[in-house]
Amino acid sequence: MRQVGLVLTGGGARAAYQVGALRAIAEILPRGRFPFPVITGISAGAINGVVLACAAADLSLGVEALRQTWSRLTPDRIFRTGALRMASIGSRWIRDLSGGGVLGGNSINYLLDSAPLRAMLTEKLAFARMRRHIKLGRLRGVAVSGTSYRTGEGITWFEGGPEIAPWARSNRSGLRARLTVDHVMASAAIPVFFPPVRVDDHFFGDGSLRLIYPMSPAIHMGAERILAISVRHRTPEPPAGDPAEGDHVPLSQIAGVILNAVFLDSLDTDLERLDRINRTLAHLPADRIDSRDLALRTIPVLVLRPTEDLGQLAADEYVRFPAMLRYLLKGIGVERGASTDLVSYLAFEPVYVSRLMALGYADTLARREEIADFLLEARSGSERRSSA
């Protein structure tokens, strides 16, 4: 049986789309199957990946655990929404920015207190169960990635079989670790919005910041083919006659573009790189591919992605945000029906989450035969495969 790697990208609340896609995959495959011995996640995808890894005996059970968790989400289960706490953070930002350090600045580096998310993950993540699945061979490896604020390097922490070796590449490395809630929280710490997380005496933030090759950890852990679930809709070219922009670009729009670059672009860039390697290897003789000096493998990849823009689906979510959060976001230009990309990352609202899970489910079922062929092919034969 070929090793299939599941790659789950980041995207804040957008990661609810992955839950719907996984639910459809569980229905497409025979009951009781768990097709992903290698699981890697980044940011919110790290949370989904670890929850799934803890239920590696049965994909349907893991997906149901994810669905129930996401279905019950509200903003106050992700960050503290009380007016006093949010006002305190906002006032400290104002003091630090306006005081020039004279008033004891630089004491705050986040907008939202993610303590409720930590509490929820501490309750939900059964790492002992995940390790039992690794020991029994149901899982080969599980990995989450973060970004070091000390070195700027992308770090992938992995837990798995002894055959997986640590790796080092330019500005990214893989370290064997005993995964904890700290690693998952660090991977999901959206810069500026959520606080940095201390892991092994260093502070880390969202893994999407520096992991420009999100499929690489899965390959390093032995994946021979990859199924990746993106939260990026392929945006068509702007229509002719698109209205011109005004004379001002709000900070919220700039922030949305930055977050899109951090969370959405890397998978497609990595896919282009991997596809180029695969096509190059197809023109080389087999003995050349197998030689030690080349050390490349062909890696079949299937990417699932939304058929609709998840940012646009968040257009009416802003009015459901807690009042103090709306007040703070309005200060950087967020308004009702606008800045939808930025809003979508924070829209941990039942209506939006349900829309995304339903879309992920429908989009994936529409590709039923393609997905079944891709995953069931992994049960037979062998292929030479590509570099990480």
Side-chain angles (χ1 to χ4, degrees):
M1 178 175 175
R2 299 167 188 155
Q3 301 288 330
V4 180
L6 175 66
V7 175
L8 300 173
T9 59
R14 293 183 181 215
Y17 179 88
Q18 298 170 350
V19 180
L22 288 165
R23 178 182 162 220
I25 291 172
E27 291 188 11
I28 291 170
L29 296 178
R31 177 78 186 189
R33 282 282 316 283
F34 194 87
F36 307 116
V38 175
I39 299 177
T40 70
I42 313 167
S43 192
I47 298 174
N48 288 343
V50 173
V51 171
L52 208 61
C54 293
D58 188 323
L59 179 61
S60 297
L61 294 178
V63 171
E64 179 59 20
L66 275 174
R67 189 196 66 78
Q68 289 187 17
T69 299
W70 279 88
S71 296
R72 296 168 183 165
L73 279 189
T74 51
D76 61 350
R77 300 200 70 190
I78 303 299
F79 48 85
R80 287 180 174 163
T81 59
L84 288 177
R85 178 57 178 162
M86 298 189 76
S88 172
I89 292 174
S91 64
R92 288 164 69 188
W93 270 94
I94 295 172
R95 183 196 67 187
D96 290 356
L97 290 173
S98 63
V102 176
L103 302 177
N106 302 316
S107 63
I108 193 75
N109 52 17
Y110 60 92
L111 283 170
L112 302 172
D113 183 347
S114 57
L117 174 61
R118 174 180 286 275
M120 183 179 68
L121 294 182
T122 300
E123 176 188 349
K124 296 289 185 182
L125 299 182
F127 289 100
R129 194 179 305 156
M130 179 194 77
R131 294 185 184 105
R132 186 160 60 249
H133 292 317
I134 293 174
K135 185 176 181 180
L136 293 173
R138 296 186 183 117
L139 289 173
R140 178 185 177 94
V142 180
V144 301
S145 299
T147 300
S148 169
Y149 283 130
R150 183 175 70 91
T151 66
E153 183 182 15
I155 303 293
T156 295
W157 299 286
F158 69 87
E159 192 163 350
E163 68 277 8
I164 303 175
W167 62 89
R169 297 290 187 271
S170 176
N171 290 321
R172 56 190 172 98
S173 59
L175 304 177
R176 183 176 292 275
R178 188 174 177 84
L179 296 181
T180 66
V181 170
D182 285 340
H183 296 97
V184 179
M185 286 291 294
S187 184
I190 301 175
V192 179
F193 286 103
F194 293 158
V197 177
R198 187 189 292 271
V199 178
D200 298 331
D201 296 326
H202 298 153
F203 283 103
F204 289 83
D206 200 291
S208 298
L209 285 171
R210 291 308 298 266
L211 192 62
I212 58 176
Y213 300 124
M215 291 186 284
S216 173
I219 297 173
H220 279 294
M221 292 196 299
E224 298 174 297
R225 53 177 48 211
I226 290 173
L227 187 145
I229 305 179
S230 172
V231 294
R232 177 178 185 170
H233 167 62
R234 285 197 182 277
T235 307
E237 291 297 320
D242 208 26
E245 293 185 348
D247 58 359
H248 172 69
V249 179
L251 180 57
S252 59
Q253 185 174 336
I254 296 173
V257 171
I258 292 173
L259 289 177
N260 284 348
V262 168
F263 290 115
L264 307 185
D265 294 347
S266 57
L267 180 63
D268 288 335
T269 301
D270 198 15
L271 182 63
E272 290 178 357
R273 182 186 72 115
L274 199 56
D275 182 62
R276 186 169 61 250
I277 293 173
N278 286 343
R279 286 186 283 108
T280 300
L281 292 179
H283 295 284
L284 296 178
D287 57 347
R288 178 75 173 118
I289 296 175
D290 291 335
S291 66
R292 288 188 177 183
D293 60 323
L294 191 59
L296 294 174
R297 300 174 292 145
T298 302
I299 307 286
V301 179
L302 179 63
V303 176
L304 307 180
R305 65 176 72 249
T307 55
E308 298 182 41
D309 188 327
L310 303 190
Q312 292 301 316
L313 287 179
D316 59 349
E317 294 303 312
Y318 175 66
V319 295
R320 299 188 179 95
F321 280 16
M324 181 55 69
L325 180 57
R326 292 201 309 270
Y327 176 78
L328 293 175
L329 291 177
K330 189 173 183 179
I332 62 172
V334 175
E335 298 178 3
R336 180 173 181 174
S339 306
T340 54
D341 281 333
L342 175 59
V343 168
S344 70
Y345 291 102
L346 300 176
F348 296 98
E349 298 283 353
V351 173
Y352 184 60
V353 165
S354 296
R355 286 176 181 170
L356 266 55
M357 288 195 295
L359 180 63
Y361 179 76
D363 287 349
T364 304
L365 278 187
R367 301 174 65 179
R368 175 189 291 270
E369 293 184 6
E370 181 184 9
I371 293 167
D373 288 346
F374 185 83
L375 293 177
L376 295 178
E377 270 182 22
R379 294 183 59 84
S380 61
S382 61
E383 297 178 15
R384 284 184 304 275
R385 312 239 161 238
S386 179
S387 120

